């Protein structure tokens, strides 16, 4: 019988550039030292480290709140450490957390929560913590920790999407704004982009277009009435829709044959069939067929 457990996946981002800057020997040492430090930090806060996976760490906690407080401490202390390091050596941490029933067999951990935590870690950006746990009080404001709802996020292998929250762990953050700007700064940003939201840039071939959050929803498809036209017979007339929801850009598949998402740095790709997920960071969108098909039209995206 499984045990109700909170699973934590941590992963280092930016390792490719660190290896290019430092060389294999120094970069390997930096990654190894940071991975060991993560293990020590999580153990000291009640976590059981199951295993390391290259530059990732899988840890379990008996309590969801303790797990969140542990990774918040991890991010805060790591942020302080980064201020003392050269930029070329920076390795930001991203974290996925999920609660569910798991089986621990021969020292390894299996279960839906493991899959969800791993996927949320893949989707999270540098310095971010994404959480799916019904055991947490998302309205609480303990130790400066706040939660922002990201809405439903599809995870491969699950019928129902996860209700994901992002942990805003910076002690000076507010719930609705990452930083507080003065009026002049807001006016400056409004002149160049969306001061209150995000912007997504799409590129297909030599065609590039950006959409700010207040310009969404926007459709990607084959017909000329779409907001972003991909004139390829594999693409449905109305293939996908970009929406602004809960402070995030969502991509919704409305096609006949599906949409594949490949996030930069992720270990796998995500297939959407009449499903949706948060569009985050950078990556590629394959329309109508998987990335394995060389003839598939690919749209490059970047969320700013």
């Amino acid at each position: 019988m499984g045990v109700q457990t909170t699973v934590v996946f941590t992963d280092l981002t930016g390792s490719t550039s660190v290896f290019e800057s430092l060389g294999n020997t120094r970069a390997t040492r930096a990654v190894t030292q940071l991975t060991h430090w993560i293990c020590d930090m999580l153990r000291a806060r009640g976590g059981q480290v199951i295993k390391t996976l290259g530059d990732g760490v899988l840890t379990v906690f008996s309590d969801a709140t303790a797990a969140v407080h542990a990774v918040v401490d991890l991010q805060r202390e790591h942020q302080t450490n980064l201020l003392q390091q050269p930029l070329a050596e920076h390795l930001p941490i991203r974290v996925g957390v999920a609660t569910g029933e798991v089986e621990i067999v021969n020292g390894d951990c299996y279960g839906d929560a493991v899959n969800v935590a791993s996927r949320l870690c893949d989707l999270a950006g540098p310095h971010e913590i994404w959480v799916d746990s019904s055991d947490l009080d998302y309205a609480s404001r303990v130790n400066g920790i706040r939660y922002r709802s990201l809405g439903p996020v599809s995870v491969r292998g699950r019928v129902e999407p996860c209700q994901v929250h992002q942990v805003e762990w910076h002690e000076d953050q507010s719930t609705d704004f990452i930083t507080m700007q003065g009026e002049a700064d807001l006016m400056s940003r409004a002149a160049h982009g969306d001061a209150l939201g995000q912007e997504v840039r799409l590129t297909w071939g030599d065609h590039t277009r950006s959409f700010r959050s207040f310009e969404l929803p926007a459709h990607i498809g084959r017909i000329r009435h779409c907001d972003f036209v991909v004139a390829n017979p594999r693409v449905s007339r109305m293939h996908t829709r970009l929406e602004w929801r809960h402070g995030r850009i969502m991509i919704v598949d409305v096609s006949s044959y599906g949409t594949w998402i490949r996030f930069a740095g992720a270990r796998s790709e995500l297939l959407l069939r009449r499903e949706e997920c948060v569009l985050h960071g950078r990556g590629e969108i394959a329309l109508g067929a998987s990335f394995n098909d060389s003839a598939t039209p690919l749209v490059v995206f970047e969320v700013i």
Side-chain angles (χ1 to χ4, degrees):
M1 183 176 176
V3 180
Q4 188 79 0
T5 302
T6 297
V7 179
V8 172
F9 255 101
T10 66
D11 186 42
L12 306 182
T13 64
S15 57
T16 300
S17 60
V18 169
F19 272 86
E20 290 176 353
S21 301
L22 303 183
N24 289 341
T25 301
R26 290 178 59 196
T28 299
R29 183 166 57 248
V31 168
T32 302
Q33 289 176 346
L34 183 51
T35 300
H36 287 167
W37 177 79
I38 292 172
C39 292
D40 292 341
M41 284 280 292
L42 296 182
R43 284 194 191 101
R45 286 155 179 77
Q48 177 187 350
V49 175
I50 300 297
K51 61 183 176 182
T52 59
L53 308 99
D55 53 7
V57 178
L58 169 60
T59 310
V60 296
F61 286 79
S62 59
D63 179 77
T65 302
V68 169
H69 282 265
V71 294
V72 166
D73 288 347
L74 181 80
Q75 291 285 29
R76 288 176 178 173
E77 190 160 333
H78 184 53
Q79 187 75 13
T80 300
N81 294 339
L82 289 179
L83 296 176
Q84 304 169 21
Q85 296 176 357
L87 187 60
E89 299 179 15
H90 281 198
L91 286 163
I93 300 171
R94 57 184 176 183
V95 184
V97 181
T99 298
E101 197 172 272
V102 302
E103 298 277 353
I104 298 180
V105 181
N106 296 326
D108 208 345
C109 188
Y110 305 90
D112 180 58
V114 179
N115 176 46
V116 172
S118 175
R119 188 65 192 136
L120 296 186
C121 183
D122 283 342
L123 293 174
H127 309 293
E128 290 187 346
I129 304 168
W130 285 23
V131 180
D132 173 44
S133 175
S134 59
D135 294 346
L136 292 171
D137 177 9
Y138 292 111
S140 66
R141 296 288 185 270
V142 180
N143 295 335
I145 299 172
R146 301 173 179 87
Y147 299 92
R148 179 199 294 269
S149 174
L150 302 183
V153 175
S154 296
V155 173
R156 177 177 294 182
R158 297 184 98 249
V159 176
E160 295 294 327
C162 300
Q163 296 299 321
V164 179
H165 287 74
Q166 179 179 330
V167 181
E168 296 181 352
W169 52 267
H170 290 92
E171 294 177 280
D172 59 348
Q173 284 184 347
S174 70
T175 302
D176 298 317
F177 299 94
I178 299 302
T179 54
M180 298 297 292
Q181 296 103 354
E183 183 178 355
D185 186 30
L186 285 174
M187 292 176 64
S188 174
R189 287 188 60 188
H192 297 90
D194 181 6
L196 302 181
Q198 294 178 325
E199 179 180 340
V200 58
R201 181 181 298 124
L202 304 178
T203 301
W204 179 63
D206 58 0
H207 176 39
T208 297
R209 183 174 176 185
S210 294
F211 298 92
R212 290 173 287 183
S213 60
F214 59 80
E215 296 175 307
L216 300 178
H219 286 86
I220 303 172
R222 189 178 73 241
I223 59 175
R224 62 185 179 88
H225 299 294
C226 288
D227 304 283
F228 190 84
V229 178
V230 180
N232 185 288
R234 292 181 177 233
V235 179
S236 296
R237 292 165 58 85
M238 291 279 192
H239 200 102
T240 64
R241 182 174 67 251
L242 300 180
E243 297 181 359
W244 176 249
R245 196 189 312 157
H246 303 298
R248 287 286 175 173
I249 294 174
M250 308 291 297
I251 181 168
V252 184
D253 176 67
V254 294
S255 70
S256 300
Y257 301 106
T259 301
W260 283 254
I261 314 293
R262 182 162 60 194
F263 294 91
R267 292 186 286 267
S268 60
E269 60 195 48
L270 178 65
L271 169 60
L272 303 178
R273 290 190 184 276
R274 301 286 170 160
E275 297 168 315
E276 60 186 35
C277 75
V278 176
L279 202 62
H280 181 275
R282 296 176 293 109
E284 294 177 303
I285 304 168
L287 303 173
S290 73
F291 292 97
N292 296 327
D293 190 332
S294 60
T296 302
L298 302 181
V299 175
V300 176
F301 73 86
E302 182 179 10
V303 177
I304 304 167

